Amino acid sequence: MDVDQTRYLDAAKEAVKREAFNMQRCLDKSQLMDGLRHATEMLNELRTSILTPKNYYELYMMVTMELTHLNMYMSGEFIKENKIADLYELVQHAGNILPRLYLLITVGVVYIRSEECSRKDILQDLVEMCRGVQHPLRGLFLRNFLLTSTRDVLPDDDTQATDGGNIDDSINFILLNFCEMNKLWVRMQHQGHTRDRAKREQERLELKLLVGTNLERLSRLEGVTVERYEKQILPAVLKQLVNCKDSIAQEYLMDCIIQVFPDEFHLRTLENTFLDTCCQPQSQVNVRNIIISIIGRLSNFAQADPSNIPEDIKLFDIFSVKVTQIIQSRTEMPPEDILVLQSALIKLALNVYPAETGYVNQVLQNTLTIFQTEEGRAKGCSNELGKLLRVPVDHYQDILTVLELDAYPKLFSFLELNTRKDLCVYIAEHVIETGTLIYSHDQVDLLLTMIECLVTDAPDLPSNQIEDPEDFECEQALVGRLVHQMTSQVPDQQFLILNTCKKHLIAGGDKRIQFTLPSLIFRAIHLCRVYHDLRDEDEKWEKKVTKILQYINSLLSALVKAEYWDLSLRLYLQASLVCDAMGISNAETVGYEFMSHAFAIYEEEVSDSKAQLIAISLIVATFERTINFSEENHEPLRSQCFRAGSKLLKKPDQCRAVSLCSHLYWSGKNREGAGEPLRNATKVLECLKKAVRISNQCMEPTVQVQLFVELLNKYIYFLGTGCEEVSESVLSQLVGKIHEDMPGLESGDITKQIVKHFETTLGFIESRHELTF
């Protein structure tokens, strides 16, 4: 088929070239009649019905370009010596109607320029005569030729003489031509077999610009005012649009109206003319795109200069009412289209009326009402609804404003789980990235309720669905970060926020609290410090701190219950430090409670030897920093640390833990000492000697020497800080022991590290000028 098209087009183009050449030669010899004969033969090539619209257009452009030579000839010497009226009559005797009308238009334009006859009459004659061609394809191109040929001769204002016509005559001329072209264009749809329907639709889409050119030409007439557009042009165009009852024509022409006419015209005719027509097209017409197009155009117009929109035109109200009517009248409208329309309304409200949050809430409420009354419409549109709900978040850049929209969180129930999660993650990330602070417990409650599917198990989560562990951890880490954005400058309000968070996060279950509760605990610790700083201004600060510590303890109990032992132990120790630093009257009691819980976890739940060493090291380090324990409680805790360290399974771990306990007797502090270190040299030496004995029991030479070097550093530290029981002779003995055992070590990376450590230690001793080995 394509081969036949190409062959026929080439043959037609060859004939056009031949006849155009002969026509030009005759015109050069002033042989007009022969030139017209060749022009007729050339125009006969346009009578074909074989070519597709695309190929016919190529041939049409070639022929009309050659006709310009004929036009130029008649407009030159010929018109000075002959009456163009006679030629106008002559060409009407051409044998075939199509060549006859092309020649008539060509001569008619020259006739108008000659001003020998009424311009109005000639234009009326031409547009009426074109009715003689009713073949859709040939008729469309003929009328397009008429429109383009007369574009420079149409009267464009009201100052023309009566015989020359005025702007109203031009409008009527173009409107008549438009109506006839649209009828021809629509007729194409109903020719041929039904199996070729898709092909015909494609061909029609290729020809739509021919029809739209009429509207574009109307918009360029300088004499077209808002009044003429409102009373003369738009009603005629819309009448033709509705009466044709063709979905392709209706959709294209409405879009064409929007694009070619000025925004001021649309504002004047929006409510009672254009939008009313949007309810009347065929059901196949995609009204969504039309409404979005006009909303987008007027929204940009308003954004460019707010004064462009008159105060008496309530743009949002007009569109809101009409969109609701369209949705109600088109029960078959897909839910995706409904949401796209609502999204366009939201963008209009945000762009034109940024301060009116009520408009956005109104759109959301209308959407909610539609989905609640017609539940079927909400199915399968989760993605589009998710996009709509992101629009306010992106625009306001403030989640607090979004929380004021009552209908916003209610629409979450119509989202599928994955879409809902994505939106919740998007909101949480947005809050964190913009640094938005949520300073009211009511706002916190609204936000955590909104992102509930991240905080707790969603009720619509399939029982057989396995969540991706990595995604789950990222989501919960995000919730933990979000907690830090929930802060108020008013301490009492901050405590209400923490309680609100606790209510939501505890409900998340054991698998979530390991990620979320630590954030709450550290926010509570920070609040303790805030109250401590305000102790001179708030008489009840101590009671409030105590209450916060009880709050922390309840969170820690939840972590213990969920068996997160390591995390619980670390947080208990952190809480103990904070409690000790607050200096409240019951600091010792509460701090001891925290420490005892940490010890209980260590003794009952920590079984791995490496974890035990880490745990006892943390406990000793924490206890060493406390200052508010009385000797009555301090001594048992010191002894407990020493016993725990000496009972570790592996000898190297015992050695390190026992040597670490020596600091409790040296730099540890209790209440009786008024913040001064204990400086119990006897106990320090006792711990160090026991550590040396334990190291001697190690069977591995490399490990033994490594422990000796570490203990040597301990001895040096205590000697340097004034511990009288540590003598230089003890250091000499230890150094000698290391020198003695070092040569027997197997070569390797660990041995190199030990040697390097030992040499560095000796270098430090020599630099202090205390001993030389």
Side-chain angles (χ1 to χ4, degrees), residues 278-459:
C278 289
C279 298
Q280 300 177 36
Q282 300 293 99
S283 59
Q284 297 90 341
V285 174
N286 192 340
V287 181
R288 178 193 76 177
N289 293 340
I290 297 169
I291 298 297
I292 290 175
S293 181
I294 186 66
I295 288 178
R297 177 149 186 179
L298 294 179
S299 177
N300 293 335
F301 184 57
Q303 275 189 290
D305 185 358
S307 62
N308 287 335
I309 308 297
E311 293 185 2
D312 61 322
I313 297 180
K314 305 299 182 183
L315 206 57
F316 176 82
D317 293 335
I318 293 171
F319 276 114
S320 179
V321 170
K322 294 302 179 182
V323 166
T324 302
Q325 290 176 357
I326 290 171
I327 292 173
Q328 290 174 348
S329 63
R330 289 177 167 252
T331 55
E332 77 287 351
M333 180 178 283
E336 294 86 353
D337 289 1
I338 295 175
L339 291 171
V340 171
L341 285 174
Q342 301 292 55
S343 181
L345 277 177
I346 288 180
K347 291 177 181 177
L348 173 68
L350 294 173
N351 293 333
V352 182
Y353 309 99
E356 296 289 341
T357 57
Y359 285 158
V360 178
N361 195 55
Q362 180 182 331
V363 177
L364 295 174
Q365 186 61 53
N366 290 342
T367 307
L368 180 64
T369 302
I370 292 171
F371 286 166
Q372 286 177 337
T373 54
E374 303 178 49
E375 294 185 5
R377 281 193 164 186
K379 294 180 179 179
C381 60
S382 183
N383 290 335
E384 289 298 333
L385 181 56
K387 292 177 184 177
L388 181 144
L389 293 174
R390 289 190 184 205
V391 173
V393 178
D394 292 335
H395 179 85
Y396 287 126
Q397 294 292 305
D398 182 5
I399 195 63
L400 301 181
T401 307
V402 177
L403 292 175
E404 293 175 4
L405 306 174
D406 298 337
Y408 188 85
K410 297 176 183 177
L411 286 167
F412 277 52
S413 60
F414 296 100
L415 293 171
E416 294 176 359
L417 178 59
N418 290 335
T419 308
R420 192 160 71 248
K421 272 192 175 183
D422 291 342
L423 179 59
C424 292
V425 167
Y426 184 78
I427 291 172
E429 289 177 341
H430 188 274
V431 172
I432 294 168
E433 290 171 4
T434 57
T436 304
L437 298 181
I438 303 157
Y439 48 82
S440 161
H441 70 282
D442 291 330
Q443 294 169 339
V444 169
D445 188 51
L446 284 173
L447 179 59
L448 291 178
T449 302
M450 186 188 299
I451 63 169
E452 187 178 12
C453 63
L454 297 182
V455 178
T456 60
D457 287 333

Side-chain angles (χ1 to χ4, degrees), residues 530-539 541 582:
V530 170
Y531 276 121
H532 184 260
D533 293 340
L534 296 173
R535 58 188 180 278
D536 295 333
E537 303 172 17
D538 189 344
E539 296 179 354
W541 75 272
M582 291 300 100

Side-chain angles (χ1 to χ4, degrees), residues 22 34 54 60 167 200 251 284 308 482 506 562 737:
N22 291 331
D34 290 336
K54 183 178 179 181
Y60 163 81
I167 183 65
R200 289 198 301 275
E251 185 170 345
Q284 297 90 341
N308 287 335
L482 188 62
I506 285 290
K737 178 65 174 172

Side-chain angles (χ1 to χ4, degrees), residues 36-103:
L36 290 175
R37 179 171 54 82
H38 288 296
T40 301
E41 291 297 326
M42 177 181 68
L43 288 164
N44 275 328
E45 296 300 325
L46 292 176
R47 295 174 60 201
T48 180
S49 302
I50 298 175
L51 293 176
T52 62
K54 183 178 179 181
N55 290 331
Y56 190 91
Y57 172 74
E58 187 176 345
L59 182 63
Y60 163 81
M61 291 300 296
M62 186 177 181
V63 170
T64 54
M65 187 177 296
E66 298 297 340
L67 281 178
T68 58
H69 298 298
L70 179 61
N71 184 294
M72 292 172 61
Y73 173 77
M74 291 185 294
S75 301
E77 295 298 325
F78 177 82
I79 198 172
K80 296 178 182 179
E81 301 174 1
N82 302 275
K83 287 187 175 181
I84 197 68
D86 295 337
L87 184 59
Y88 188 72
E89 292 292 334
L90 178 64
V91 295
Q92 295 186 41
H93 296 285
N96 292 305
I97 189 170
L98 190 65
R100 181 196 312 158
L101 290 175
Y102 273 99
L103 290 174

Side-chain angles (χ1 to χ4, degrees), residues 472-590:
F472 178 79
E473 288 184 14
C474 290
E475 291 169 2
Q476 298 311 305
L478 193 63
V479 175
R481 292 171 62 196
L482 188 62
V483 169
H484 292 282
Q485 301 301 123
M486 301 172 180
T487 181
S488 172
Q489 297 299 320
V490 181
D492 292 348
Q493 180 65 236
Q494 180 63 29
F495 188 60
L496 292 176
I497 290 175
L498 293 178
N499 277 310
T500 303
C501 289
K502 176 185 174 183
K503 179 184 70 174
H504 286 275
L505 299 184
I506 285 290
D510 292 349
K511 64 180 180 179
R512 286 184 172 83
I513 59 175
Q514 63 169 320
F515 302 101
T516 56
L517 292 195
S519 296
L520 267 187
I521 291 172
F522 281 103
R523 292 305 302 165
I525 288 173
H526 174 75
L527 185 57
C528 284
R529 295 191 175 111
V530 170
Y531 276 121
H532 184 260
D533 293 340
L534 296 173
R535 58 188 180 278
D536 295 333
E537 303 172 17
D538 189 344
E539 296 179 354
K540 298 181 179 180
W541 75 272
E542 189 171 328
K543 291 182 178 180
K544 293 176 181 178
V545 168
T546 302
K547 196 169 184 179
I548 295 171
L549 291 173
Q550 292 171 349
Y551 170 87
I552 292 173
N553 188 59
S554 67
L555 296 178
L556 289 170
S557 298
L559 289 172
V560 170
K561 187 177 179 181
E563 300 183 358
Y564 295 118
W565 311 120
D566 181 67
L567 180 62
S568 302
L569 184 144
R570 291 171 182 267
L571 291 174
Y572 268 124
L573 295 176
Q574 188 69 39
S576 178
L577 282 175
V578 173
C579 176
D580 189 76
M582 291 300 100
I584 56 178
S585 58
N586 60 342
E588 182 179 15
T589 304
V590 178

